[in-house]
Amino acid sequence: MKKTFLVRAAAAACAALPLSLAAGGALACDDCDDAPAASPLNKLGLVRVQGAAPSSLPTNIPTTRETVTRSDIERSVNATDAEDALKYLPSLLVRKRYIGDYNHAILSSRASGTGNSARSAVYADGILLSNYLGNGVGGLSFPPRWGLVTPEEIERVDVMYGPFSAAYPGNSVGAVVDYQTRMPTKFEAHAKLVYSVQPSDLYGVSTSYRAWQASASVGSREGGFSWWLNLNRTSSQGQPLTFATRLASTGTAIPAGSTAPPVTGAVLVPNSNNLPWYLLGAGTQYDTTQDHLKLKLAYDLSPTVRASYAMGLWRNDSDGNSESWLRDAAGKPVYSGPVIIDGKQFARLTASDFALTREKLRHVMHGVSVKSRSGGEWDWEVAASLYDYQKDSKRQNGLTVNGVLVTDNPQPGAWSGGAGSLADGSGTGWSTLAAKGIWRPAGTAHVVDFGLQRDNYRLSYLTSGIAGNYLMDGPGSLISKVSGKTRLQAAYVQDAWLLGPDWKAVLGLRAEHWQAWDGRTDFSATSGQGYASRSEDVLSPKAALSWQAAPDTVLKASLGRAVRMPTVGELYGATSTTNSQYINDPNLKPERSWTAELSAQTAWGALQSRLTLFAETTRDSIYSQTVLDLIANRNISRVQNIDKMGTKGLEAALAAVDWGLRGLDLSGSVTYTDSKIKANTGFVSTPGDTIGKWQPNIPRWRATALAAYRFNSHWSASLAARYSGRQYRTLNNADVNGFAYQGVSKYMTADVRVLWKIDSQWSAAFGIDNLNNYRYWNFHNYPQRSYSAELKFDL
């Protein structure tokens, strides 16, 4: 599975490995077919790929690598979304809050938290899925476009940790995730039905949220032509994710003549800063229906050259609803006006407290490539992709102009219309173009990867007011408009050099030219600001050295520089709604990181182990910080540079096949991380209040464990666990209570899955996620115990 070293192992062991371990030398299923069973598990060498490549990653990987296969997912993961495949890999977390989470499911890694989506790179068949139009979640949201891959499509997932390959931009500083999807070798057809239910009990409100999923796929290969068609529909109800609040300290004496009604139903709890506040009701309860279509075509122009085309369509209709818990003396819900709670009067309720949103999204992806895989002296590839927001609209009740609510439209009237806003992101998107080559000089111990790349990004987001019916009417007066473009052009070269039987070096250099232009923010029809064009030129060297210390032991040291450029959204994307605001910075500096790791991997029979020491120093780290403005009653996000952050840590991973008992496969990992803010001229409340504080969303400890057992050819079961320690969300670590709305808590959850292969065509599975019903938070609340059942047919 890794390409840095040529690995040989028995094919049976390779097929059975649950979650494959790789750190510059690991079990590699694509190398198993002609492997002698007695060969060492970890062996240095230069990789020469011939035929269809099992991964779009470079041929020789100078860093830690992990892999999950289709059979791993089928046996051990209750997978409803593509990101579920990453669940049990070391040091990775996707902030998935419900099935079909389309706007907050951000990947975090060793030194990158769940607010930094631009510090990882996600691809599917080499096509970029990461959304580098912005970073994290602020006024807009920029998670990878997971919806363009379904679990049924996945053949394997490779994860490469750190910025050690010259083939990737600085966004790879956290991790590179590469999904390889299925391409049939003969006729095949599949169908799958999944039902999930999450009974939820939070703050005295008990209900159940359900999800339904249906998928079908068909494909074949005739001669040199192969094709694949996949259809999927997901209908999902998520639990409420936000809450209307009032700090207890903001209550005032009841003024004479007040008409505010005394209400019941408010819940008094400590907030993330341990200050008492009242929760008045729940919001952002999504009811989403998503459709996915994927068409893939491939034609072998010759025995060693293949042309491929992929088209993906993702459509989403999503309703975001809210509910007040407050009741007046007659027992009727209260959604507007000032209220009296426990003898104190509080600021009036508005549409900002109980928002209704209606979203309609249609995104299209295209990818085309022509690739040579001869395994001879030269191989090459040309590839291009396009991601287009064909439709991206969001309607919301209440009309806000320049951060001021000018026309309130609370419930229940907002259910049938009234004033509101329409946000339109259509025309936004990105495109990529790449030419790559591999040179294997005859008679030498070198493999050279090189290439040219160009990535273009365009952001266009128009927010308009609607005075009549926000549910139906077209756009009215302009509230705000943000637009801008960036481009990254790069050239890279990387040489894998076998210095001798026991030594291997990988040296690389990446040169980049970055531009930003046409940046503009309009605050009204008569007020706006344009921004000057910018450009940067950077060099990013990479180096790795590996030593075969023993027949089954490899030691490896890697060092790499990564420069993460500001995104269009961070530079120009000032946005404002009734309950949130994002403040951009057109003068952001690029984020510059040096990352190093030292790994040792060895094998004792069926047991593989890896120990990795990692360190990272980042200057001008780009961070968005969200705080609640108590006066405006809105979340305000501001992007800024942090002068210096330092991270160091240790990661240990184990994997075993048939460990002590035939059919029992084990894998697990433990990661310790120390990540602190070393220098920062900025501050949250007072100068210096962030220095020495923990980097947000990076826990000190995290761990995974997975045990899978094959009872016989029909039955298998798995038990998995995940742990994450205490985290902070704010730069000054003021959020000391993680078990609260807007806090980030520790967690310890367990998952189970039972798979029954009824016969050669039919199978069924039952699973429980969060078996121990742990209630934990990452700004929003994660799902409670959830049950799933699936039925699958394979032809």
Side-chain angles (χ1 to χ4, degrees), residues 95 97 101-108 112-120 129-146 171 389 430 459 564-571 573 575 581-582 588 591 622-626 637-640 696-697 729 778-780:
R95 185 175 173 254
R97 305 163 301 165
D101 191 347
Y102 61 95
N103 56 8
H104 278 246
I106 291 173
L107 173 67
S108 70
S112 303
T114 50
N116 275 324
S117 58
R119 281 177 60 90
S120 60
L129 297 185
S130 283
N131 188 343
Y132 298 144
L133 294 165
N135 182 40
V137 177
L140 307 175
S141 59
F142 303 97
R145 310 319 299 168
W146 306 107
N171 308 89
Y389 286 39
W430 63 85
L459 176 65
R564 202 275 273 182
M565 301 298 180
T567 63
V568 190
E570 291 167 322
L571 293 170
T575 56
Q581 182 180 2
Y582 181 82
L588 283 173
E591 181 180 290
I622 302 175
Y623 245 95
S624 292
Q625 181 72 75
T626 300
S637 301
R638 182 188 299 272
V639 65
Q640 59 190 295
N697 297 105
R729 185 183 60 82
N778 190 335
F779 194 98
H780 304 130

Side-chain angles (χ1 to χ4, degrees), residues 494-524:
Q494 184 164 289
D495 180 16
W497 181 15
L498 196 61
L499 302 171
D502 298 327
W503 292 89
K504 178 180 177 180
V506 181
L507 303 174
L509 181 66
R510 182 178 181 88
E512 295 176 320
H513 176 66
W514 174 81
Q515 299 167 278
W517 74 101
D518 284 353
R520 183 172 179 83
T521 302
D522 291 298
F523 308 103
S524 70

Side-chain angles (χ1 to χ4, degrees), residues 442-705:
T444 69
H446 292 266
V447 173
V448 181
D449 288 85
F450 57 94
L452 300 173
Q453 300 167 338
R454 188 183 74 177
D455 301 339
N456 289 325
Y457 302 90
R458 179 179 184 270
L459 176 65
S460 177
Y461 203 78
L462 170 66
T463 303
S464 305
I466 298 176
N469 187 338
Y470 79 99
L471 295 172
M472 301 174 57
D473 293 349
S477 60
L478 184 147
I479 295 177
S480 68
K481 182 179 181 180
V482 298
S483 58
K485 300 172 183 175
T486 61
R487 174 181 296 148
L488 184 67
Q489 296 171 287
Y492 72 89
V493 61
Q494 184 164 289
D495 180 16
W497 181 15
L498 196 61
L499 302 171
D502 298 327
W503 292 89
K504 178 180 177 180
V506 181
L507 303 174
L509 181 66
R510 182 178 181 88
E512 295 176 320
H513 176 66
W514 174 81
Q515 299 167 278
W517 74 101
D518 284 353
R520 183 172 179 83
T521 302
D522 291 298
F523 308 103
S524 70
T526 58
S527 174
Q529 180 178 357
Y531 301 101
S533 300
R534 292 181 52 187
S535 64
E536 299 275 351
D537 293 290
V538 298
L539 292 175
S540 298
K542 325 279 184 175
L545 182 65
S546 304
W547 174 41
Q548 187 87 46
D552 287 324
T553 301
V554 170
L555 304 180
K556 176 175 59 62
S558 302
L559 178 68
R561 184 180 193 242
V563 180
R564 202 275 273 182
M565 301 298 180
T567 63
V568 190
E570 291 167 322
L571 293 170
Y572 312 127
T575 56
S576 180
T577 68
T578 58
N579 53 7
S580 68
Q581 182 180 2
Y582 181 82
I583 302 172
N584 64 304
D585 184 352
N587 299 312
L588 283 173
K589 302 174 185 177
E591 181 180 290
R592 305 169 190 270
S593 300
W594 279 98
T595 304
E597 73 168 38
L598 179 64
S599 287
Q601 179 167 330
T602 191
W604 295 279
L607 177 67
Q608 295 184 85
S609 67
R610 173 175 58 81
L611 189 65
T612 300
L613 176 67
F614 58 89
E616 179 180 298
T617 298
T618 300
R619 298 185 183 274
D620 298 318
S621 177
I622 302 175
Y623 245 95
S624 292
Q625 181 72 75
T626 300
V627 296
L628 177 64
D629 186 326
L630 297 174
I631 304 300
N633 191 32
R634 296 196 304 164
N635 289 318
I636 300 196
S637 301
R638 182 188 299 272
V639 65
Q640 59 190 295
N641 285 114
I642 306 299
D643 294 343
K644 182 180 179 182
M645 286 190 176
T647 301
K648 56 183 180 291
L650 189 66
E651 182 181 87
L654 295 169
V657 177
D658 294 332
W659 180 253
L661 180 66
R662 184 171 180 81
L664 178 62
D665 303 333
L666 304 175
S667 64
S669 68
V670 177
T671 304
Y672 171 80
T673 307
D674 182 292
S675 187
K676 300 284 184 62
I677 298 173
K678 302 296 186 180
N680 186 19
T681 53
F683 56 90
V684 177
S685 300
T686 58
D689 64 358
T690 66
I691 297 175
K693 303 299 184 181
W694 287 91
Q695 181 182 173
N697 297 105
I698 301 294
R700 181 176 295 188
W701 290 97
R702 67 184 98 184
T704 64

